[in-house]
Amino acid sequence: MPHRTIRIAAAAVAALGLLTACGGGKADGGSTPSQAPASSSATGGGSGPKVPAALPTQDLLGGNPCKVLTDAETTDFGLAVPGETLTGDLPGCQWRSADEGRNSIGLRVVPQNKGGISDIYDQKAGQAYFEPVSIDGYPGVFTSKADLRPSGNCQLWLGVTDQLSVTITPAIGAGPNKKNPCGLAQKFGNAVVKHLKGAA
């Protein structure tokens, strides 16, 4: 039966706050991928890589997405604690930089994509960029319909199970990370995966 797939859109990144962090700066942010009907992919199937082992999703889907990192892990990124829980169709958390208000990192859960990261791979055509990456052994991909990386915005999709993906979006307005928002997204994603592995 067809299901709704979250489209990768420029608005997803544009809706985010601006961010800096990692390697010296502090960061925080939130992303809002737009939702639209799309072709469906079979649960756990599709063109994307499989996860090595399903990560626990109770916090992601149970209303506690800000708990994907501990307070200490969050402050290590220069982010203010606590993060802001985001509700609605795309639940998540947004963290603001502790010392630069224009910077943020956002994490959104995308339960509508029943094919997980494969639903993102299935939308590869027409993206402004599409760069697969390993996030501590888990499948990820930097991709969006608009390339806003030169402006400090990057969108990372991460498969946490074969049926669930999340999007991590730094939005960097100032500081050294503005030149490499995807590097920050990858570091943040690695920290999330390591935390979830520890919770398994």
Side-chain angles (χ1 to χ4, degrees):
M1 182 170 179
H3 65 273
R4 294 175 69 81
T5 297
I6 302 304
R7 286 286 185 189
I8 305 166
V13 182
L16 308 185
L18 302 177
L19 159 112
T20 76
C22 248
K26 303 213 168 186
D28 162 61
S31 72
T32 310
S34 7
Q35 181 176 350
S39 58
S40 62
S41 62
T43 300
S47 59
K50 304 297 184 188
V51 303
L55 293 170
T57 60
Q58 58 264 31
D59 285 335
L60 289 169
L61 297 174
N64 297 305
C66 291
K67 294 193 177 293
V68 296
L69 295 180
T70 65
D71 287 355
E73 290 167 337
T74 302
T75 56
D76 282 347
F77 274 90
L79 299 170
V81 176
E84 176 189 356
T85 300
L86 306 171
T87 59
D89 289 341
L90 301 175
C93 186
Q94 178 169 321
W95 295 268
R96 299 213 171 273
S97 170
D99 60 11
E100 174 51 74
R102 291 173 290 174
N103 302 331
S104 64
I105 296 178
L107 178 145
R108 291 276 188 165
V109 185
V110 190
Q112 296 88 344
N113 282 9
K114 302 301 182 186
I117 199 77
S118 284
D119 283 348
I120 308 307
Y121 270 72
D122 290 346
Q123 298 176 47
K124 180 178 179 179
Q127 302 307 310
Y129 61 97
F130 191 94
E131 299 176 6
V133 64
S134 175
I135 304 296
D136 199 30
Y138 280 73
V141 60
F142 298 112
T143 188
S144 181
K145 282 188 175 293
D147 190 355
L148 302 180
R149 292 174 294 179
S151 300
N153 293 267
C154 180
Q155 190 159 21
L156 169 65
W157 291 84
L158 168 65
V160 294
T161 75
D162 287 333
Q163 296 78 37
L164 182 69
S165 62
V166 300
T167 180
I168 295 169
T169 311
I172 305 175
N177 288 300
K178 184 172 183 178
K179 293 183 178 179
N180 186 23
C182 292
L184 177 58
Q186 184 167 356
K187 290 177 183 177
F188 194 85
N190 283 332
V192 169
V193 170
K194 286 179 180 176
H195 178 91
L196 293 177
K197 281 181 177 179

